[in-house]
Amino acid sequence: MSTTSAQPGPEAPADAASEVRVEFEGVDKSYDGRTLVVKDFSLSIRKGEFVTLLGPSGSGKTTILMMLAGFQAPTAGVIRIDGRSVEDLPPRKRGIGMVFQNYALFPHMTVGRNLAFPLEVRGLNGEERRRRVERAIGLVRLEGLEGRRPGQLSGGQQQRVAIARALVFEPSLVLMDEPLGALDRSLREEMQYEIRRLHRKLAVTIVYVTHDQQEAMVMSDRIAVLKDGVVEQIAAPEALYEEPERAFVARFIGENNRLRGRVATVRDGLCEVAVGGERIRALVIANCEPGDEVTLSIRPERVVVNPHPGVFGNQVGGTVRDLAFLGDHLRVRMDACGHRNFIAKIPNIAGHGGILVGDTVRIGWTVTDCRALDVEPKGQ
């Protein structure tokens, strides 16, 4: 899967401490004094990095963002910006630009006045305000709309104004909380690339919150995947997709075949797992011993239908239950390894349609494309 994941990798080098813009260290958050909605959250974000907090509703991602902004206080742990603890620093003094899903524009003010307002609050003179407003409008490509009010703009234009307002006072850190959630799919995709363009042009540090994994994959340098207030994995988009370390990450990022089985053997970083009457070989990711249960993860696009004998380390039989033509690929749903919804994706190339519903087929995949992960609770 190709991504636009960018330069910074998942780990900051030891000599790059001076390049850290934001640091969370052992941060907890509880609203009632009993239940932690964020648990032992630690993350360093480098200057100019685009980091996304990704997870389902209730995973703690917005709470983390609000603590960084200063609207909520952590129950435990430390948050630092540019090496300084911000525990006693109010939101207005943190130098942070904010973009919200609902735009939060002043409806009675023109676009120009909406952009000038944060500069007036900071005491900038008239000429400097004019210069920065002009620059911000140019950045988001809204020239000529300075005199309109938000109600006279489309949803996409309003979101551009909200982004421009967050950038107009030239902050070093911008926080975005589900900023594209109110837009339709085509406009969301356009704005994803627009935000990414601005990030590259300005080299500003962005912390972004979303529940949309495709959005996170397109835009981010690194993604922190959260579940129930706990970080499951932090990595670059490609690493999350290709090398998930937890069953939840494999399930949440992209489509995935998950086979629950019991370990038969473990040797040299590989294991053999009994699943539905078959023996499947896989990379050991979760610590496991013979007799342990694991979840096997295989991406559908890595499954080959009717391969040549002996080509793959794993080959099993299957029965085709359903075929769906999706333009660039044929989606094959079958019975395999004791599961009724095993998926393979066949690229739309010559000869791709040589199978029919009811056919008995052989399917195969490499050992390195199969990962033995932890077992999630039943029902997930």
Side-chain angles (χ1 to χ4, degrees), residues 135 138-139 195-204:
R135 180 171 184 265
L139 282 173
I195 292 171
R196 190 63 173 156
R197 178 187 68 82
L198 289 170
H199 172 250
R200 288 171 171 162
K201 181 179 180 67
L202 301 175
V204 65

Side-chain angles (χ1 to χ4, degrees), residues 184-217:
D184 63 43
R185 171 55 63 181
S186 62
L187 192 51
R188 282 183 73 142
E189 292 177 354
E190 177 185 335
M191 288 302 300
Q192 287 169 16
Y193 289 101
E194 188 69 10
I195 292 171
R196 190 63 173 156
R197 178 187 68 82
L198 289 170
H199 172 250
R200 288 171 171 162
K201 181 179 180 67
L202 301 175
V204 65
T205 306
I206 295 179
V207 183
Y208 194 95
V209 161
T210 185
H211 64 274
D212 186 320
Q213 54 101 355
Q214 179 181 342
E215 189 167 289
M217 297 286 281

Side-chain angles (χ1 to χ4, degrees), residues 271-291:
C271 63
E272 193 171 78
V273 180
V275 181
E278 304 284 357
R279 289 292 187 99
I280 306 299
R281 298 176 66 212
L283 289 174
V284 173
I285 306 302
N287 291 328
C288 61
E289 301 291 340

Side-chain angles (χ1 to χ4, degrees), residues 7-12 43-44 46 49 221-222 234-236 239:
Q7 311 83 351
E11 300 297 335
L43 174 65
S44 293
R46 295 188 290 279
E49 196 174 14
D221 294 322
R222 286 188 300 157
I234 301 172

Side-chain angles (χ1 to χ4, degrees), residues 29-37 62-64 66 72 75:
K29 178 62 179 179
S30 174
Y31 292 106
D32 59 11
R34 298 185 302 275
T35 304
L36 291 177
V37 296
T62 294
T63 298
I64 291 169
M66 293 300 101
Q72 296 178 12
T75 304

Side-chain angles (χ1 to χ4, degrees), residues 168-348:
V168 72
F169 62 94
E170 300 175 3
S172 59
L173 175 62
V174 175
L175 312 184
M176 298 189 176
D177 187 15
E178 301 271 11
L180 309 182
L183 305 179
D184 63 43
R185 171 55 63 181
S186 62
L187 192 51
R188 282 183 73 142
E189 292 177 354
E190 177 185 335
M191 288 302 300
Q192 287 169 16
Y193 289 101
E194 188 69 10
I195 292 171
R196 190 63 173 156
R197 178 187 68 82
L198 289 170
H199 172 250
R200 288 171 171 162
K201 181 179 180 67
L202 301 175
V204 65
T205 306
I206 295 179
V207 183
Y208 194 95
V209 161
T210 185
H211 64 274
D212 186 320
Q213 54 101 355
Q214 179 181 342
E215 189 167 289
M217 297 286 281
V218 167
M219 301 173 70
S220 312
D221 294 322
R222 286 188 300 157
I223 301 169
V225 181
L226 292 106
K227 176 190 177 189
D228 298 330
V230 175
V231 175
E232 295 283 303
Q233 189 173 348
I234 301 172
E238 186 172 351
L240 281 179
Y241 187 87
E242 300 289 357
E243 301 171 2
E245 296 174 357
R246 305 276 295 173
F248 174 78
V249 176
R251 173 167 62 87
F252 197 72
I253 304 291
E255 191 172 18
N256 185 266
N257 290 303
R258 293 178 295 138
L259 307 177
R260 190 162 176 164
R262 195 168 296 278
V263 177
T265 63
V266 180
R267 182 179 180 183
D268 297 331
L270 301 177
C271 63
E272 193 171 78
V273 180
V275 181
E278 304 284 357
R279 289 292 187 99
I280 306 299
R281 298 176 66 212
L283 289 174
V284 173
I285 306 302
N287 291 328
C288 61
E289 301 291 340
D292 291 346
E293 279 195 312
V294 293
T295 301
L296 297 182
S297 164
I298 312 107
R299 297 291 183 190
E301 66 270 22
R302 302 301 168 82
V303 178
V304 175
V305 179
N306 291 329
H308 294 295
V311 172
F312 295 108
N314 291 304
Q315 289 199 25
V316 301
T319 302
V320 178
R321 296 184 62 209
D322 184 58
L323 299 169
F325 179 71
L326 297 176
D328 61 343
H329 72 275
L330 188 70
R331 190 172 186 271
V332 184
R333 186 162 59 97
M334 66 188 80
D335 294 334
C337 299
H339 289 253
R340 292 180 56 80
N341 289 296
F342 193 95
I343 304 298
K345 294 180 179 179
I346 303 176
N348 183 6

Side-chain angles (χ1 to χ4, degrees), residues 22-235:
V22 174
E23 185 177 13
F24 295 86
E25 185 178 342
V27 172
D28 293 342
K29 178 62 179 179
S30 174
Y31 292 106
D32 59 11
R34 298 185 302 275
T35 304
L36 291 177
V37 296
V38 175
K39 307 167 189 175
D40 194 26
F41 181 73
S42 295
L43 174 65
S44 293
I45 300 172
R46 295 188 290 279
K47 294 177 181 177
E49 196 174 14
F50 194 125
V51 171
T52 295
L53 308 178
L54 173 68
S57 297
S59 60
K61 54 191 186 297
T62 294
T63 298
I64 291 169
L65 203 73
M66 293 300 101
M67 288 190 290
L68 178 56
F71 299 131
Q72 296 178 12
T75 304
V78 180
I79 301 173
R80 301 183 185 91
I81 297 177
D82 292 330
R84 176 188 176 184
S85 172
V86 294
E87 179 180 358
D88 298 321
L89 205 61
R92 68 181 184 279
K93 293 187 177 180
R94 297 192 183 192
I96 293 174
M98 288 286 300
V99 183
F100 300 97
Q101 179 177 338
N102 63 358
Y103 315 138
L105 302 175
F106 296 115
H108 63 287
M109 291 184 181
T110 64
V111 169
R113 289 285 296 128
N114 265 282
L115 299 187
F117 182 77
L119 305 177
E120 293 173 1
V121 171
R122 288 167 173 79
L124 274 70
N125 64 45
E127 180 58 29
E128 181 64 11
R129 290 202 304 268
R130 185 195 61 77
R131 183 190 70 80
R132 293 200 184 190
V133 168
E134 280 188 6
R135 180 171 184 265
I137 286 175
L139 282 173
V140 297
R141 303 172 181 175
L142 287 178
E143 295 92 338
L145 300 181
E146 297 91 330
R148 294 190 185 181
R149 288 183 170 81
Q152 298 172 306
L153 303 175
S154 68
Q157 289 171 332
Q158 290 183 55
Q159 190 56 280
R160 287 171 187 263
V161 176
I163 292 169
R165 187 179 58 184
L167 298 172
V168 72
F169 62 94
E170 300 175 3
S172 59
L173 175 62
V174 175
L175 312 184
M176 298 189 176
D177 187 15
E178 301 271 11
L180 309 182
L183 305 179
D184 63 43
R185 171 55 63 181
S186 62
L187 192 51
R188 282 183 73 142
E189 292 177 354
E190 177 185 335
M191 288 302 300
Q192 287 169 16
Y193 289 101
E194 188 69 10
I195 292 171
R196 190 63 173 156
R197 178 187 68 82
L198 289 170
H199 172 250
R200 288 171 171 162
K201 181 179 180 67
L202 301 175
V204 65
T205 306
I206 295 179
V207 183
Y208 194 95
V209 161
T210 185
H211 64 274
D212 186 320
Q213 54 101 355
Q214 179 181 342
E215 189 167 289
M217 297 286 281
V218 167
M219 301 173 70
S220 312
D221 294 322
R222 286 188 300 157
I223 301 169
V225 181
L226 292 106
K227 176 190 177 189
D228 298 330
V230 175
V231 175
E232 295 283 303
Q233 189 173 348
I234 301 172

